[in-house]
Amino acid sequence: MKKDASIHMLEDGIRRIFVFDGDQSNSVQEFDLSTVPIDVTPEALDGMILEWLGVSIGFRQDSNMSDDQKISIRKDFIEYANKTFRILPFETPEAAIWSDERARDQLRVVGADEGLIDKITTLNDCKEKFLALSEATQPLGQSLASSNISTIHGIFVTGFCNDANSLFVDMNNLLKEIADNA
């Protein structure tokens, strides 16, 4: 989860699903509220949430709230998170859709030399790979356009879907789970 994410729960009848990159964790285990001691304090419950999600959640409350009300707010959040938080089954979307072979094909189309191909495919960060590939396939004399980045991403997304590898199956299952629980 992102350290500085601001999330607001709204009572507008729309169910929101939060899907986070899997760069910190590949799953969020459901928080079992039955394990919370009866005499838990709001501060102790905050600690349990921090341990569970890896991030501190700030709850709106006022000085007139009783501890029972503060605990109730936290438990409501836990129930909400159990129903709506999902983690992508891979580190980042870019890492999931990246294919060195597909990149090589795109670079060969524009006549890139093997040195550039090897340089791009050996980068460690897939976001950097996409940027370098987009720059390498941009027409000469033109600045990098977001349309070229989108086109490259589109080629890789299409390939990812057509390959239907295990990450695609995991993502498809995640989407089905979200749809079934909507």
Side-chain angles (χ1 to χ4, degrees):
M1 291 187 56
K2 305 296 182 204
K3 286 184 176 180
D4 298 319
S6 177
I7 299 170
H8 303 275
M9 296 181 353
L10 304 174
E11 295 293 331
D12 61 4
I14 298 173
R15 181 148 187 256
R16 289 172 171 78
I17 304 295
F18 296 90
V19 182
F20 300 97
D21 282 359
D23 59 345
Q24 301 295 318
S25 170
N26 286 347
S27 67
V28 172
Q29 299 298 316
E30 189 166 309
F31 189 108
D32 184 0
L33 280 170
S34 70
T35 64
V36 175
I38 293 173
D39 60 347
V40 71
T41 64
E43 296 76 20
L45 198 49
D46 286 343
M48 292 175 192
I49 293 169
L50 173 61
E51 184 178 328
W52 175 46
L53 296 177
V55 64
S56 178
I57 305 295
F59 295 95
R60 181 179 288 183
Q61 55 197 30
D62 63 46
S63 59
N64 295 327
M65 268 188 181
S66 69
D67 279 356
D68 287 342
Q69 290 172 311
K70 292 175 184 178
I71 290 167
S72 177
I73 289 171
R74 286 152 176 79
K75 286 183 176 181
D76 288 348
F77 169 79
I78 291 168
E79 288 176 0
Y80 178 80
N82 278 338
K83 293 176 186 171
T84 61
F85 285 14
R86 301 293 183 273
I87 303 290
L88 289 174
F90 36 75
E91 187 171 323
T92 65
E94 292 84 3
I97 66 173
W98 180 262
S99 162
D100 283 344
E101 193 54 41
R102 196 164 288 116
R104 288 180 191 286
D105 291 345
Q106 292 302 307
L107 289 164
R108 287 183 183 121
V109 166
V110 297
D113 66 48
E114 287 298 317
L116 178 60
I117 294 171
D118 290 340
K119 179 182 175 189
I120 291 174
T121 58
T122 57
L123 289 170
N124 290 328
D125 183 294
C126 287
K127 290 180 182 186
E128 290 176 12
K129 287 181 178 186
F130 273 108
L131 178 60
L133 180 61
S134 297
E135 290 171 340
T137 57
Q138 185 71 24
L140 288 175
Q142 293 185 11
S143 60
L144 184 60
S146 62
S147 61
N148 193 47
I149 296 171
S150 295
T151 299
I152 294 295
H153 270 102
I155 291 167
F156 279 75
V157 168
T158 300
F160 173 74
C161 295
N162 290 338
D163 294 345
N165 64 24
S166 63
L167 289 177
F168 174 81
V169 171
D170 291 345
M171 185 67 202
N172 194 35
N173 290 337
L174 174 65
L175 293 172
K176 285 179 182 176
E177 176 189 341
I178 290 169
D180 291 346
N181 292 320

